[in-house]
Structure formats: C-alpha cells, structure tokens
Amino acid sequence: MKEVITVGNMRESDAHTITQYVPSKVLMYRAAMGVCRAADWKGKIGILTGAGNNGGDGYALACILADRGIACQVLRVSEKFSQDGQHYHDLALSKGVEIRMFAPGEDLRDYDMLVDCMLGTGFSGRVREPYRSAIKAVNNARAYVVSVDINSGMNGDTGKAELAVKSNLTVTIGYLKTGFFLGDAIWYLDKLAVADIGIRLVRDEYFLAAEEEIVFPHTGWALNGDKTELLTPGEAEDQLKNGQTVPELAVELALKEQHLIRVLGKNSLVSDGYRTYFVEEGSFPAEIVCREEP
C-alpha cells in the first residue's frame, strides 16, 4: 500500500523534515538523484527550469548529469531562483553546464530528451507567459519528456489543467499526490515513478491499493460487500460543492449514507468515511529510494 497525499500535507511534511531531520539542499539533491536514476539519459538533453524549488531540482539534476559526463543544457523560464535553486544553479555553472534563457516561441524539436522543472505541485489556475509558451514548446517537441514532481500546469490536488506538459515519465518526489488520480491527469501522464527522499509525513491521508488489499477494519466492510454504492466520475462531480475534491465528497457521502462509496473510473477510489483508497488498475508506480548526500 502506498500513501496518496494532498499538496498541503506534502508542503507541511517537507517543512517538518527540513526543520527536524534533513537540510533542504540535501533533500533537493536527493530529489534530483531520484530523477536521474529513473530515466536513461542519452542524446541532446534540455532541462527547463522555473523560479521555485522545482527549478532547483532541475539545476541539481544538471549537476549530477555533469558529474556523470552527460552533457545537458538548462533553459531558464524565469529570471528568479529559490535560495536552494540559486545554490545549484551556481554549482551547475561551475561544472560547465550551459545555461541560457528560454525564448518564447523557441522550437525544441531538436532535443532528444526534455526535463520539465517549471511549475511545481502548488500551481493552480491558468498558465501565464513565459511558462505558457514553454509548455507548448515541450508538447510540440519530439523528445522523451520527464516531468519532475508533477507535470507543469497541473493542479496537484485535483488533477485539473487548462494547459499542462504531456510527459512520458513523471517522477514525483516523496509521495503520490491525489491529482495524479483525478481530473485531467489521465491525458497528461504516461509512466509514473516515486522518488523516496526521506520526507516524513505529518499525517496520513489517502492510500493506493490493489483491490484484494482493501479492508476497512473500522466497519468490517469489504469492497465487494453488500453495502456498496457506486458512482461514476461524472455523477461524483455533479455533487461537488464548496471547492470539494472527489475524495472529500466520497468521505462525506460514506459517513452520511453509512455505505462504502466507490467512484468508478480509470483510477477508482473507495471510502468508508474514515479512510479513502485509490484503486489503480494495472501495476503500481515504480519507487526509487534515494538517500544519497550531495
């Protein structure tokens, strides 16, 4: 069983881990190492970086690739840096990595691999320039695309996206996010991997499980028992109110109706009102354990 968490939980858990256990620069390096281990790096590689720590992961990845003798270029989509991002940007420059600004309207079709480190899990709403042009350029390229943590433009909690990067591989950091199993995620995600970098959760939320693993000790109900109410994703969305997500609605309905609530779809979920499980069809995402120090 794997945890599936909200963006807020991830943010709090990240801050807690940094305060109590692991320095932020070490976590950023571990994240980049997890991404490095997840893909086969070859050909012409471009890393697109944004202003926050997602961009910092890209600079750290460039450092790791340089240490391994793998050439890459960094295309900055923002003039800004996070504090840790600035550290790895400067280190990448010292290692001879080519870093330049992305030009809106630029054609990226001569790259073999593109790494999306532009917008992180905290993003929501409509994508603005210059990120809008960069996302379109990535989607128009013929490259193998790796998104780091989440596909830029996607909401990490709801999976909704007005415009987002379409990836061949998404390497999410720490834990799976609820948005990967909801909303528009099916149209943007192909393969999904989790880089375990040692972040300690401040609270449990949802879970990803195979059908045969699903048990509800609080009620004794089984997924295939008599007290099961089925909803399609459309029926669930019709009942959403006050900014609820589908998992929150399932919890509310399960408590109200005293039934298991199952929402049917490519990534089904079921709740007894106390725990919510996502039921993934097919194999679980790959997990990459990365605890190396920089």
Side-chain angles (χ1 to χ4, degrees):
M1 188 187 306
K2 297 179 185 294
E3 288 91 351
V4 183
I5 67 172
T6 61
V7 171
N9 191 0
M10 184 65 193
R11 187 179 295 115
E12 292 173 39
S13 299
D14 187 57
H16 172 70
T17 301
I18 290 169
T19 301
Q20 299 293 328
Y21 304 105
V22 185
S24 58
K25 288 185 179 66
V26 174
L27 286 180
M28 184 170 283
Y29 178 87
R30 289 179 179 178
M33 182 60 74
V35 176
C36 182
R37 289 177 175 174
D40 181 17
W41 302 96
K42 56 189 176 183
K44 185 177 180 181
I45 301 167
I47 304 174
L48 291 92
T49 57
N53 281 335
N54 196 244
D57 293 340
Y59 295 122
L61 174 63
C63 292
I64 293 169
L65 293 178
D67 288 341
R68 297 185 174 200
I70 301 171
C72 67
Q73 296 177 344
V74 174
L75 288 71
R76 294 175 54 195
V77 188
S78 173
E79 296 277 4
K80 299 178 181 179
F81 302 97
S82 66
Q83 183 176 357
D84 291 343
Q86 178 81 66
H87 169 78
Y88 284 110
H89 167 272
D90 296 346
L91 186 59
L93 280 177
S94 73
K95 294 176 181 292
V97 175
E98 180 184 343
I99 301 178
R100 63 178 178 82
M101 293 300 299
F102 169 81
E106 184 172 348
D107 190 338
L108 302 178
R109 285 180 291 183
D110 60 337
Y111 286 89
D112 298 295
M113 298 186 74
L114 290 170
V115 186
D116 162 29
C117 297
M118 293 181 283
L119 298 170
T121 55
F123 173 82
S124 62
R126 182 177 174 83
V127 179
R128 294 182 290 185
E129 294 291 356
Y131 293 102
R132 192 171 192 85
S133 292
I135 290 173
K136 287 181 178 179
V138 171
N139 288 345
N140 288 333
R142 303 185 183 94
Y144 183 91
V145 177
V146 180
S147 284
V148 176
D149 205 15
I150 194 168
N151 300 47
S152 288
M154 186 184 299
N155 185 298
D157 283 333
T158 68
K160 295 192 175 184
E162 172 263 334
L163 173 69
V165 167
K166 296 178 181 179
S167 70
N168 300 98
L169 169 67
T170 297
V171 184
T172 197
I173 309 304
Y175 298 90
L176 295 163
K177 283 70 175 183
T178 58
F180 291 137
F181 305 97
L182 299 171
D184 305 312
I186 183 177
W187 306 111
Y188 296 102
L189 291 164
D190 187 7
K191 295 180 181 178
L192 178 62
V194 182
D196 174 5
I197 63 173
I199 292 175
R200 306 194 184 194
L201 283 183
V202 295
R203 62 181 179 276
D204 290 334
E205 287 185 297
Y206 312 118
F207 302 87
L208 181 70
E211 234 176 80
E212 60 270 18
E213 291 182 292
I214 296 176
V215 292
F216 296 92
H218 175 79
T219 62
W221 294 343
L223 179 60
N224 296 320
D226 294 332
K227 293 187 175 182
T228 302
E229 183 173 339
L230 305 180
L231 296 175
T232 67
E235 290 170 333
E237 289 190 5
D238 287 343
Q239 299 187 52
L240 294 180
K241 59 183 184 296
N242 301 324
Q244 284 179 310
T245 64
V246 172
E248 289 167 342
L249 173 67
V251 168
E252 180 183 299
L253 290 175
L255 287 173
K256 178 181 177 182
E257 303 296 333
Q258 288 294 292
H259 282 69
L260 289 184
I261 298 296
R262 183 173 184 183
V263 182
L264 299 176
K266 181 177 186 295
N267 296 294
S268 302
L269 64 88
V270 60
S271 176
D272 68 347
Y274 295 89
R275 282 192 169 185
T276 299
Y277 291 79
F278 286 90
V279 187
E280 186 188 30
E281 296 181 3
S283 60
F284 286 132
E287 186 169 46
I288 305 157
V289 178
C290 187
R291 306 290 172 82
E292 291 189 14
E293 307 300 306

